[in-house]
């Protein structure tokens, strides 16, 4: 143990003698780790947030599809679907997207039926507000983009251009920011008036099936009832979001491989040979009676100190960049861009397996490639090195 401590002390002093070179290596090493760790941290947090949001969605969404386009459907469909065994509720929904030409943003308009006000809505993840005629509850993003305050007025337009003024009575507060950030909730009668939707039609039907085993059976029965319907199952939504984030994550990693390539070039340069100064240092140690294994051990200790310092600096830097600063720039590449987009804080999601994989991909090769050139220098007679 005493010998090891002496060798470790010698390795640290040797690193400090070449501190400019070693600091540059650490910075480059840490940058590579920071890029890859940031992608993993951000992707994991976004997947976790999306999975949480999708938990509030109904098991089945029924839509009316004709010529490849979604159309309103009759309210009678909800009554027929509600009679299927295994269905706890079939709720017709009045909602749609509204393009605000003043801000260039798209709002999500949701009509709230009178019987659902002051109740917990599972699809929104919050308590539905009580709203009167021409009253709306808006999300934080809409409040910010329109410069609204509670009690302010917001003007929306019907398809024919007729303006309708609403009073913003409150702002939405929900655990699922993804769903409510750009939301404008209003009474269903006002939503029908805004979208020019007849009283006997809805945009889609949310079907709640308590038993997950019955989802496939209920979906097939709905298709048998309404052959033109499109069935969207919650599992399909989860799979689609996972595929989207996985594709973008893979694209970013592919682009970042150039940084990893630069790191491997650095490692190859290290394996190609040692500079004259380090060869002289090894020759002096051999002349003083050091064994080859002792010289290799000291070199490995130097590599361990450099690589682990850089790895920890990169991981810590990625954690701060993603979870304290919100991953500016990188977040847009994974989530996309919109005039209104949630600025919710990211929930830390650290995958230990991915970090260990990154450790083995960077630290272990860097330590390994330094052994061969040191061994080559050790087997050369010190006198030959001094004469050169």
């Amino acid at each position: 143990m005493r010998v090891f401590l002496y060798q470790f002390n010698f390795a640290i002093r040797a690193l400090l003698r070449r501190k400019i070179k070693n600091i540059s290596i650490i910075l480059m090493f840490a940058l590579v780790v920071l890029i890859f760790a940031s992608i993993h941290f951000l992707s994991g947090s976004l997947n976790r947030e999306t999975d949480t949001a999708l938990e509030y969605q109904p098991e089945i969404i029924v839509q009316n599809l004709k010529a490849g386009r979604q159309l309103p459907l009759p309210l009678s469909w909800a009554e027929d679907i509600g009679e299927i065994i295994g269905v706890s509720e079939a709720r017709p929904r009045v909602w749609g997207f509204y393009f605000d030409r003043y801000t260039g943003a798209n709002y999500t308009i949701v009509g709230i039926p009178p019987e659902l006000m002051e109740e917990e809505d599972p699809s929104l993840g919050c308590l539905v507000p009580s709203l009167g005629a021409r009253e709306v509850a808006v999300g934080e993003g809409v409040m910010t983009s329109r410069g609204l305050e509670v009690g302010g007025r917001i003007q929306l337009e019907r398809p024919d251009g007729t303006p309708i003024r609403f009073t913003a009575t409150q702002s939405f507060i929900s655990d699922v920011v993804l769903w409510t950030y750009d939301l404008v909730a209003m009474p269903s009668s006002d939503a029908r008036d805004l979208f020019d939707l007849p009283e006997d039609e809805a945009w889609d039907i949310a079907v709640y099936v308590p038993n997950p085993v019955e989802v496939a059976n209920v979906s097939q029965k709905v298709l048998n009832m309404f052959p033109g319907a499109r069935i969207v199952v919650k599992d399909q939504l989860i799979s689609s979001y996972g595929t989207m984030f996985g594709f973008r994550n893979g694209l970013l990693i592919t682009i970042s491989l150039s940084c990893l390539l630069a790191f491997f070039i650095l490692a190859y340069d290290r394996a190609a040979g040692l500079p004259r100064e380090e060869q002289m240092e090894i020759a002096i140690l051999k002349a003083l009676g050091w064994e080859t294994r002792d010289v290799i051990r000291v070199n490995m200790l130097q590599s361990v100190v450099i690589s682990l310092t850089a790895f920890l600096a990169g991981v810590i830097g990625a954690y701060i960049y993603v979870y304290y600063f919100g991953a500016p720039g990188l977040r847009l590449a994974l989530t996309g861009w919109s005039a209104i987009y949630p600025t919710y804080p990211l929930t830390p999601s650290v995958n230990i397996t991915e970090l260990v994989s990154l450790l083995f991909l960077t630290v272990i090769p860097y330590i390994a490639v330094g052994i061969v050139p040191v061994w080559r220098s050790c087997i050369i007679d010190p006198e030959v090195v001094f004469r050169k």
Side-chain angles (χ1 to χ4, degrees), residues 308-326:
L308 285 183
T309 301
F311 182 82
L312 291 176
V315 171
I316 295 173
Y319 192 94
I320 295 173
Y321 169 70
V322 173
Y323 297 123
Y324 284 88
F325 295 102

Side-chain angles (χ1 to χ4, degrees), residues 267-268 270-274 282 292 296 299-300 303 365-380:
Y268 174 78
R270 174 179 169 80
L274 297 178
I282 292 175
T292 299
I296 293 177
N299 178 266
M300 290 184 64
S303 300
Y366 185 82
I367 296 174
V369 297
I371 298 177
V372 175
V374 172
W375 175 78
R376 287 176 179 173
S377 298
C378 287
I379 61 177
I380 300 176

Side-chain angles (χ1 to χ4, degrees), residues 211-271:
N211 187 357
V213 180
E214 295 289 337
V215 172
N217 186 34
V218 171
S219 299
Q220 187 58 49
K221 289 182 178 179
V222 173
L223 286 176
N224 294 336
M225 285 183 176
F226 312 106
R230 177 169 67 178
I231 306 299
V232 180
V233 182
K234 183 194 292 187
D235 291 341
Q236 295 176 347
L237 293 176
I238 296 174
S239 176
S240 298
Y241 276 96
T243 302
M244 178 188 68
F245 284 131
F247 171 77
R248 293 180 177 178
N249 185 29
L251 183 62
L252 285 177
I253 290 179
T254 302
I255 296 174
S256 303
L257 285 178
S258 57
C259 295
L260 190 62
L261 179 62
F263 168 76
F264 282 129
I265 292 174
L266 173 67
Y268 174 78
D269 179 70
R270 174 179 169 80

Side-chain angles (χ1 to χ4, degrees), residues 291-304:
E291 298 289 340
T292 299
R293 64 173 180 271
D294 296 327
V295 177
I296 293 177
R297 185 182 296 119
V298 169
N299 178 266
M300 290 184 64
L301 286 173
Q302 293 176 358
S303 300
V304 169

